Amino acid sequence: MNLLDRLRTLCLALPEAFEVEAWNHPTFRVGGGRGKMFCMLAGEDNTSLWLKPDPAERPALLAEGDPFFVPPYMGARGWVGMKLDGRSIDWDEVAELVATAYCEVAPKRLAALVTEPPALPG
């Protein structure tokens, strides 16, 4: 399973989440209309995850340094980036970050349904 397939599996497991291609990147959203974006696969070759973390956790993530960084454009809105290129990826951590990002932007009724992070099969 490639990066996009893994991320897609995690994101679309969340209530009423959907995918929209924007700026030549897959973005994951929730809510009416075009929805509110909670994460996206970005970077020149789609190997960076950008997402909206819990504002209280953002400084700690960025203090860790690599693989975390302030992404262009979205960093000013409180987002963080996580490099996923050619490294050992802790998919449990990614799932937790994705679930948190989802809950940050989802309507309260949907966020309340998320009691644990989504999981990859197998």
Side-chain angles (χ1 to χ4, degrees):
M1 192 181 279
N2 66 31
L3 282 176
L4 177 56
D5 290 339
R6 286 174 185 255
L7 184 61
R8 183 179 283 136
T9 297
L10 293 174
C11 292
L12 298 182
L14 297 164
E16 298 183 28
F18 60 96
E19 183 176 347
V20 172
E21 181 83 13
W23 312 290
N24 295 317
H25 298 288
T27 68
F28 298 92
R29 302 164 184 241
V30 62
R34 290 199 35 99
K36 289 186 176 183
M37 186 168 53
F38 62 95
C39 75
M40 68 185 289
L41 203 54
E44 287 184 24
D45 52 359
N46 283 340
T47 58
S48 293
L49 171 64
W50 295 5
L51 48 76
K52 176 90 174 184
D54 177 327
E57 292 178 6
R58 186 175 189 259
L61 292 171
L62 293 174
E64 283 185 41
D66 191 29
F68 297 102
F69 63 95
V70 176
Y73 315 110
M74 303 300 279
R77 294 189 174 120
W79 284 52
V80 296
M82 181 180 187
K83 297 174 191 170
L84 302 176
D85 55 340
R87 62 185 72 226
S88 177
I89 300 165
D90 181 346
W91 285 101
D92 291 334
E93 180 180 32
V94 171
E96 288 177 20
L97 292 168
V98 165
T100 298
Y102 173 90
C103 290
E104 285 295 313
V105 303
K108 289 181 183 181
R109 68 177 175 82
L110 294 176
L113 300 174
V114 180
T115 59
E116 59 185 46
L120 291 170

